[in-house]
Amino acid sequence: MTDAPLPPPTAAIVALRAQQVRDRIARAGGDPAGVRLVAVTKGFGPEVARTAIAAGLVDLGENYAQELVAKVEDLARPEDPVRDVRWHFLGRLQTNKVRHLAPFVALWQSVDRPGLVREIAKRAPEASILLQINLSAEPQKGGCAPDEVPALVGLARDSGLDVQGFMGVAPAGDPTLARPGFEQLVALADAFELPERSIGMSGDLEVAVACGATMVRIGRDLFGDRPPRPG
Ligand SMILES: *Cc1c(COP(=O)(O)O)cnc(C)c1O
């Protein structure tokens, strides 16, 4: 028998946890006002997205196209609309999903191949993107290889996209193992003079901030464990 999942937290609890995340950013040597907190609502229903907004969070991150669109539709309910959400797309992205997402995504964080660059440029001209760099050398994880970065930055710029920086996911496990990859990503962002470094999740936030994160993507430490994915 499995335990019933805990009820989703209230807005007051999420606001408190968001403050704790900002305190952690400050203790790790970051400027909480200069590190954007992306609240990762993937895996939860639209009510958790509403809770996040009620807690004052404005940047929401999603990994699955259908889930993002379902939340957008729910948040647009005429009797109870929620405005001013900035949606970040974080997950592996199939080219054929871009068209469905294009009206809603404020920042495409998981752009990692030429076909995806071209499709986003076609469906969402001049969109803001981050290129995802694979920091773990595990091929099943998303992200381009570091040596593919120059060509991909060039293609994205030539396609009219606004390349704001890079996103990376550290290998799972001991957070200290995250450091070399984060440092490599930050060095590449410096080399290309790109402002955004989206590194750091619940488990490796401090390492990411110490390495120079400008954006952290936090799910579990705001909302608790995600419900298991069906299927
Ligand atoms: C799920 C996910 C996150 C959030 O992870 P937590 O461990 O819940 O904080 C951040 N970034 C990406 C790309 C993710 O897939």
PDB file of all heavy atoms in Angstrom, residues 40 42 63 90 167 169 201-202 217-220 226, ligand 1:
ATOM      1  N   VAL A  40       8.718  25.514 -10.528  1.00  0.00           N
ATOM      2  CA  VAL A  40       8.457  24.401 -11.445  1.00  0.00           C
ATOM      3  C   VAL A  40       7.200  23.658 -10.987  1.00  0.00           C
ATOM      4  O   VAL A  40       7.214  22.944  -9.983  1.00  0.00           O
ATOM      5  CB  VAL A  40       9.674  23.465 -11.519  1.00  0.00           C
ATOM      6  CG1 VAL A  40       9.395  22.315 -12.486  1.00  0.00           C
ATOM      7  CG2 VAL A  40      10.913  24.244 -11.969  1.00  0.00           C
ATOM      8  N   LYS A  42       5.483  21.497 -12.860  1.00  0.00           N
ATOM      9  CA  LYS A  42       5.261  20.249 -13.611  1.00  0.00           C
ATOM     10  C   LYS A  42       4.779  19.135 -12.681  1.00  0.00           C
ATOM     11  O   LYS A  42       5.217  19.046 -11.531  1.00  0.00           O
ATOM     12  CB  LYS A  42       6.543  19.807 -14.307  1.00  0.00           C
ATOM     13  CG  LYS A  42       7.586  19.260 -13.353  1.00  0.00           C
ATOM     14  CD  LYS A  42       8.775  18.638 -14.075  1.00  0.00           C
ATOM     15  CE  LYS A  42       9.791  18.178 -13.058  1.00  0.00           C
ATOM     16  NZ  LYS A  42      11.167  18.257 -13.519  1.00  0.00           N
ATOM     17  N   ASN A  63       7.438  21.042 -17.998  1.00  0.00           N
ATOM     18  CA  ASN A  63       8.242  20.129 -18.819  1.00  0.00           C
ATOM     19  C   ASN A  63       7.460  19.447 -19.926  1.00  0.00           C
ATOM     20  O   ASN A  63       8.063  18.821 -20.786  1.00  0.00           O
ATOM     21  CB  ASN A  63       8.836  19.017 -17.956  1.00  0.00           C
ATOM     22  CG  ASN A  63      10.061  19.448 -17.194  1.00  0.00           C
ATOM     23  OD1 ASN A  63      10.029  20.502 -16.584  1.00  0.00           O
ATOM     24  ND2 ASN A  63      11.113  18.659 -17.232  1.00  0.00           N
ATOM     25  N   LEU A  90      10.761  23.841 -20.003  1.00  0.00           N
ATOM     26  CA  LEU A  90      12.018  23.267 -19.489  1.00  0.00           C
ATOM     27  C   LEU A  90      12.316  21.867 -19.992  1.00  0.00           C
ATOM     28  O   LEU A  90      13.418  21.355 -19.779  1.00  0.00           O
ATOM     29  CB  LEU A  90      11.957  23.180 -17.948  1.00  0.00           C
ATOM     30  CG  LEU A  90      11.545  24.425 -17.166  1.00  0.00           C
ATOM     31  CD1 LEU A  90      11.459  24.101 -15.681  1.00  0.00           C
ATOM     32  CD2 LEU A  90      12.531  25.561 -17.403  1.00  0.00           C
ATOM     33  N   MET A 167      20.985  26.988 -20.310  1.00  0.00           N
ATOM     34  CA  MET A 167      20.356  26.234 -19.225  1.00  0.00           C
ATOM     35  C   MET A 167      21.065  24.893 -19.107  1.00  0.00           C
ATOM     36  O   MET A 167      21.465  24.309 -20.114  1.00  0.00           O
ATOM     37  CB  MET A 167      18.871  26.023 -19.516  1.00  0.00           C
ATOM     38  CG  MET A 167      18.079  25.359 -18.396  1.00  0.00           C
ATOM     39  SD  MET A 167      18.046  23.551 -18.443  1.00  0.00           S
ATOM     40  CE  MET A 167      16.496  23.277 -19.298  1.00  0.00           C
ATOM     41  N   VAL A 169      21.220  21.082 -16.565  1.00  0.00           N
ATOM     42  CA  VAL A 169      20.782  20.220 -15.464  1.00  0.00           C
ATOM     43  C   VAL A 169      22.000  19.401 -15.036  1.00  0.00           C
ATOM     44  O   VAL A 169      22.614  18.721 -15.863  1.00  0.00           O
ATOM     45  CB  VAL A 169      19.653  19.275 -15.919  1.00  0.00           C
ATOM     46  CG1 VAL A 169      19.239  18.342 -14.786  1.00  0.00           C
ATOM     47  CG2 VAL A 169      18.453  20.063 -16.443  1.00  0.00           C
ATOM     48  N   MET A 201      18.596  23.586  -9.103  1.00  0.00           N
ATOM     49  CA  MET A 201      17.282  23.038  -8.791  1.00  0.00           C
ATOM     50  C   MET A 201      17.248  22.876  -7.264  1.00  0.00           C
ATOM     51  O   MET A 201      18.167  23.316  -6.577  1.00  0.00           O
ATOM     52  CB  MET A 201      17.084  21.697  -9.521  1.00  0.00           C
ATOM     53  CG  MET A 201      17.451  21.837 -10.981  1.00  0.00           C
ATOM     54  SD  MET A 201      17.145  20.469 -12.146  1.00  0.00           S
ATOM     55  CE  MET A 201      16.556  19.106 -11.239  1.00  0.00           C
ATOM     56  N   SER A 202      16.202  22.253  -6.747  1.00  0.00           N
ATOM     57  CA  SER A 202      16.087  22.164  -5.278  1.00  0.00           C
ATOM     58  C   SER A 202      17.355  21.599  -4.633  1.00  0.00           C
ATOM     59  O   SER A 202      17.812  22.087  -3.598  1.00  0.00           O
ATOM     60  CB  SER A 202      14.892  21.283  -4.898  1.00  0.00           C
ATOM     61  OG  SER A 202      13.690  21.868  -5.333  1.00  0.00           O
ATOM     62  N   ARG A 217      15.590  26.982 -10.913  1.00  0.00           N
ATOM     63  CA  ARG A 217      14.309  26.344 -11.254  1.00  0.00           C
ATOM     64  C   ARG A 217      13.950  25.382 -10.125  1.00  0.00           C
ATOM     65  O   ARG A 217      14.592  24.352  -9.963  1.00  0.00           O
ATOM     66  CB  ARG A 217      14.443  25.589 -12.579  1.00  0.00           C
ATOM     67  CG  ARG A 217      15.104  26.427 -13.698  1.00  0.00           C
ATOM     68  CD  ARG A 217      15.340  25.580 -14.933  1.00  0.00           C
ATOM     69  NE  ARG A 217      16.041  24.355 -14.647  1.00  0.00           N
ATOM     70  CZ  ARG A 217      17.368  24.195 -14.686  1.00  0.00           C
ATOM     71  NH1 ARG A 217      18.164  25.193 -15.043  1.00  0.00           N
ATOM     72  NH2 ARG A 217      17.921  23.045 -14.361  1.00  0.00           N
ATOM     73  N   ILE A 218      12.965  25.762  -9.324  1.00  0.00           N
ATOM     74  CA  ILE A 218      12.696  25.042  -8.081  1.00  0.00           C
ATOM     75  C   ILE A 218      11.296  24.440  -8.089  1.00  0.00           C
ATOM     76  O   ILE A 218      10.304  25.163  -8.245  1.00  0.00           O
ATOM     77  CB  ILE A 218      12.834  25.998  -6.863  1.00  0.00           C
ATOM     78  CG1 ILE A 218      14.203  26.709  -6.874  1.00  0.00           C
ATOM     79  CG2 ILE A 218      12.620  25.231  -5.560  1.00  0.00           C
ATOM     80  CD1 ILE A 218      15.401  25.813  -6.689  1.00  0.00           C
ATOM     81  N   GLY A 219      11.223  23.129  -7.927  1.00  0.00           N
ATOM     82  CA  GLY A 219       9.941  22.444  -7.826  1.00  0.00           C
ATOM     83  C   GLY A 219       9.695  21.927  -6.415  1.00  0.00           C
ATOM     84  O   GLY A 219       8.913  22.483  -5.645  1.00  0.00           O
ATOM     85  N   ARG A 220      10.391  20.846  -6.059  1.00  0.00           N
ATOM     86  CA  ARG A 220      10.129  20.145  -4.788  1.00  0.00           C
ATOM     87  C   ARG A 220      10.209  21.050  -3.569  1.00  0.00           C
ATOM     88  O   ARG A 220       9.383  20.929  -2.653  1.00  0.00           O
ATOM     89  CB  ARG A 220      11.117  18.977  -4.613  1.00  0.00           C
ATOM     90  CG  ARG A 220      10.698  17.700  -5.318  1.00  0.00           C
ATOM     91  CD  ARG A 220      11.744  16.611  -5.143  1.00  0.00           C
ATOM     92  NE  ARG A 220      13.025  17.021  -5.694  1.00  0.00           N
ATOM     93  CZ  ARG A 220      14.161  17.084  -5.012  1.00  0.00           C
ATOM     94  NH1 ARG A 220      14.202  16.783  -3.741  1.00  0.00           N
ATOM     95  NH2 ARG A 220      15.273  17.459  -5.612  1.00  0.00           N
ATOM     96  N   ARG A 226       6.363  15.595  -6.218  1.00  0.00           N
ATOM     97  CA  ARG A 226       5.388  15.540  -7.311  1.00  0.00           C
ATOM     98  C   ARG A 226       4.609  14.232  -7.255  1.00  0.00           C
ATOM     99  O   ARG A 226       5.185  13.190  -6.937  1.00  0.00           O
ATOM    100  CB  ARG A 226       6.098  15.630  -8.660  1.00  0.00           C
ATOM    101  CG  ARG A 226       6.612  17.019  -8.969  1.00  0.00           C
ATOM    102  CD  ARG A 226       7.376  17.071 -10.276  1.00  0.00           C
ATOM    103  NE  ARG A 226       8.761  16.661 -10.158  1.00  0.00           N
ATOM    104  CZ  ARG A 226       9.763  17.440  -9.721  1.00  0.00           C
ATOM    105  NH1 ARG A 226       9.517  18.685  -9.358  1.00  0.00           N
ATOM    106  NH2 ARG A 226      10.984  16.991  -9.645  1.00  0.00           N
TER     107      ARG A 226
HETATM  108  C1  LIG B   1      11.904  19.066 -12.667  1.00  0.00           C
HETATM  109  C2  LIG B   1      12.888  20.067 -13.094  1.00  0.00           C
HETATM  110  C3  LIG B   1      13.291  21.094 -12.224  1.00  0.00           C
HETATM  111  C4  LIG B   1      12.834  21.186 -10.761  1.00  0.00           C
HETATM  112  O1  LIG B   1      13.439  20.181 -10.010  1.00  0.00           O
HETATM  113  P1  LIG B   1      13.258  20.097  -8.415  1.00  0.00           P
HETATM  114  O2  LIG B   1      14.245  19.076  -8.018  1.00  0.00           O
HETATM  115  O3  LIG B   1      11.835  19.672  -8.181  1.00  0.00           O
HETATM  116  O4  LIG B   1      13.526  21.433  -7.842  1.00  0.00           O
HETATM  117  C5  LIG B   1      14.165  22.037 -12.722  1.00  0.00           C
HETATM  118  N1  LIG B   1      14.623  22.001 -13.979  1.00  0.00           N
HETATM  119  C6  LIG B   1      14.261  21.038 -14.849  1.00  0.00           C
HETATM  120  C7  LIG B   1      14.798  21.056 -16.225  1.00  0.00           C
HETATM  121  C8  LIG B   1      13.401  20.035 -14.424  1.00  0.00           C
HETATM  122  O5  LIG B   1      13.074  19.060 -15.277  1.00  0.00           O
END
